[in-house]
Amino acid sequence: MTGKSINSLKLLFLSTPVGQLGSGLGGGVELTLYNIALEMHRRGHHLDIVAPAGSRLDSFPIKEIAGELQITAQTQERDALICMPGNSLLANMWECARQIQGNYDLIVNFAYDWLPFYLTPFFNCPIAHFVSMGSLSDAMDQIVEQVAIQFPGTIGLYTKSQAETFALKSSELNSSWCEVLGSGVDLSLYDFCASPAPQLAWLGRIAPEKALEDAVAAAQIAGIPLKIFGKMQDDAYWKQICQEYPDAPVEYMGFFSTQKLQEQLGKCQAMLMTPRWVEAFGNVAIEALACGVPVIAYRRGGPAEIVQDGKTGFLVEPDSVEGLVNAIKRLDEIDRLECRRQAETEYSLEALGDRMEQWFQTIKQLANPSS
Ligand code: UDP
């Protein structure tokens, strides 16, 4: 469906408060927000985006908010107290949303943070919460559960494996406490590459939960160059890897735009995905597939739901470098066209847009049954 219709929604997106859109600090949720925005706009919905000052998102206008960035949940302990800096950017973003909420049918929250969940009952406008990571803290689990009970249908996640990480205690909730929405990419932005160079790729934030060291070790053992792309989030961690593997055939390329990234990624024989944590989805997996690049990933979390073992990549025993090396040796069994095909059939923007639109409409309907 294109063009405005009577079902056209007025949407207000609230971005992640851990970094500017375009900085890479927010990880995959930056791309997810962009993709949903693109598709909702294409379908004729009205959309405004509230995000940290300095954010850039293609040609979308942004209501830029000043303040101190929020600390990322994955760098804190499970029992960490809820933590906010003075002049909190997150609080300022939600103050902005409070003031303008009357102009919208629905607010969509992309922050993995306690505050927006806590504020939900105080808003008149319904709020859809897109949860971008698995369970990381007790406080977050608790508030997500509370909102799931009080506002059924308003919690959306990427995958089933991600949903299973949340230890929900209430007997009022069953397995359908959240909507599993998956992800998708604008396939027109990713070119299929049939003949790669003899090299591998690793993509993501350079941070301990991504266990880049396993990919470096595998590249060293397999004797094949590894190109590393992504936001340098933890310098000390990267230095430690360089010290541990001084002779590994690896090169840190930097943080690239989607256009440049897909150009480089397509030229690789495979992409290694080595997360130590339960990856909620792994947008990089579907970006690789879109370029025709097979994905070698640990059999855990989102990637295990994406990769078709033996067809569009390989799923190996979690945390096994040997498993990665064995899979690298079997890459000639994969038809790169199958990878692109899987991205086209399962991860198109249209398919993601259908699920999102349905979710948004249902929440709006539940909040205003008479409209
Ligand atoms: N990415 C990028 N440029 C790069 C490397 C990565 O824009 O050079 C993006 C990539 O497109 C993806 C994100 O970084 O959207 C990583 O997201 P993913 O879902 O894989 O993991 P997360 O960071 O959310 O844990």
Side-chain angles (χ1 to χ4, degrees):
M1 186 193 82
T2 50
K4 288 202 194 309
S5 77
I6 48 162
N7 290 326
S8 160
L9 292 165
K10 287 188 272 201
L11 301 166
L12 181 65
F13 283 11
L14 268 89
S15 186
T16 168
V18 303
Q20 293 81 7
L21 283 169
S23 69
L25 287 169
V29 78
E30 292 185 30
L31 184 67
T32 299
L33 186 153
Y34 172 65
N35 285 332
I36 301 171
L38 208 59
E39 188 58 16
M40 290 304 123
H41 179 71
R42 192 185 70 82
R43 291 175 186 226
H45 299 296
H46 174 84
L47 177 76
D48 286 319
I49 299 168
V50 174
S55 289
R56 296 289 168 267
L57 199 69
D58 208 352
S59 55
F60 285 105
I62 289 177
K63 291 183 196 299
E64 297 189 46
I65 306 292
E68 296 290 320
L69 294 175
Q70 196 69 1
I71 307 174
T72 53
Q74 67 270 27
T75 54
Q76 296 172 74
E77 297 299 322
R78 171 158 279 283
D79 60 356
L81 300 179
I82 293 147
C83 176
M84 306 242 299
N87 188 23
S88 158
L89 168 65
L90 178 62
N92 296 346
M93 285 170 68
W94 282 84
E95 170 56 17
C96 168
R98 187 188 68 79
Q99 287 176 18
I100 58 178
Q101 60 177 318
N103 303 332
Y104 300 93
D105 296 314
L106 183 68
I107 294 172
V108 187
N109 166 39
F110 288 90
Y112 187 100
D113 214 292
W114 180 86
L115 186 69
F117 288 84
Y118 173 76
L119 290 176
T120 304
F122 299 99
F123 272 67
N124 296 320
C125 182
I127 303 175
H129 296 276
F130 185 81
V131 179
S132 61
M133 292 186 279
S135 162
L136 292 170
S137 87
D138 298 340
M140 185 71 178
D141 282 17
Q142 210 176 63
I143 199 84
V144 167
E145 179 164 356
Q146 251 166 276
V147 172
I149 294 170
Q150 223 181 329
F151 302 93
T154 63
I155 312 266
L157 281 82
Y158 280 118
T159 58
K160 204 164 147 275
S161 339
Q162 178 196 2
E164 284 164 2
T165 63
F166 288 87
L168 305 185
K169 296 187 177 70
S170 168
S171 55
E172 286 178 56
L173 294 172
N174 54 29
S175 60
S176 58
W177 65 274
C178 63
E179 299 294 315
V180 174
L181 298 158
S183 191
V185 286
D186 182 349
L187 289 153
S188 70
L189 302 179
Y190 300 82
D191 299 320
F192 173 71
C193 174
S195 22
Q199 58 188 20
L200 302 172
W202 187 95
L203 265 68
R205 291 175 292 106
I206 318 287
E209 65 271 16
K210 299 288 184 173
L212 169 59
E213 64 274 22
D214 288 13
V216 171
Q220 175 156 301
I221 297 168
I224 177 164
L226 178 72
K227 307 265 180 205
I228 300 164
F229 305 90
K231 185 75 191 173
M232 185 58 70
Q233 203 166 32
D234 188 333
D235 249 320
Y237 168 67
W238 168 244
K239 288 202 179 94
Q240 195 186 328
I241 295 176
C242 296
Q243 265 170 21
E244 257 173 65
Y245 300 93
D247 304 319
V250 305
E251 188 179 357
Y252 174 58
M253 310 291 289
F255 178 71
F256 283 26
S257 66
T258 298
Q259 169 55 27
K260 282 196 174 151
L261 180 65
Q262 65 87 29
E263 247 174 62
Q264 298 289 322
L265 175 59
K267 290 186 223 156
C268 296
Q269 282 182 335
M271 189 189 73
L272 302 184
M273 265 187 104
T274 51
R276 200 70 80 211
W277 69 352
V278 175
E279 186 79 48
F281 186 83
N283 270 333
V284 296
I286 57 175
E287 296 185 270
L289 294 176
C291 300
V293 176
V295 178
I296 298 175
Y298 290 149
R299 190 187 296 278
R300 148 165 86 202
E305 292 186 35
I306 300 167
V307 176
Q308 296 174 356
D309 193 21
K311 194 171 173 192
T312 60
F314 294 103
L315 290 171
V316 311
E317 193 193 323
D319 310 317
S320 164
V321 170
E322 193 189 342
L324 298 172
V325 174
N326 290 337
I328 293 168
K329 288 184 192 149
R330 293 179 54 196
L331 276 171
D332 57 1
E333 294 172 28
I334 305 288
D335 176 357
R336 291 172 72 92
L337 263 177
E338 286 294 342
C339 300
R340 171 76 192 188
R341 226 170 268 146
Q342 188 192 354
E344 283 171 2
T345 47
E346 295 179 28
Y347 300 109
S348 70
L349 215 47
E350 291 73 22
L352 175 67
D354 286 348
R355 295 190 295 272
M356 286 291 168
E357 196 173 47
Q358 176 69 52
W359 183 45
F360 295 160
Q361 295 283 14
T362 306
I363 297 173
K364 182 190 165 195
Q365 187 63 31
L366 282 171
N368 307 290
S370 55
S371 68

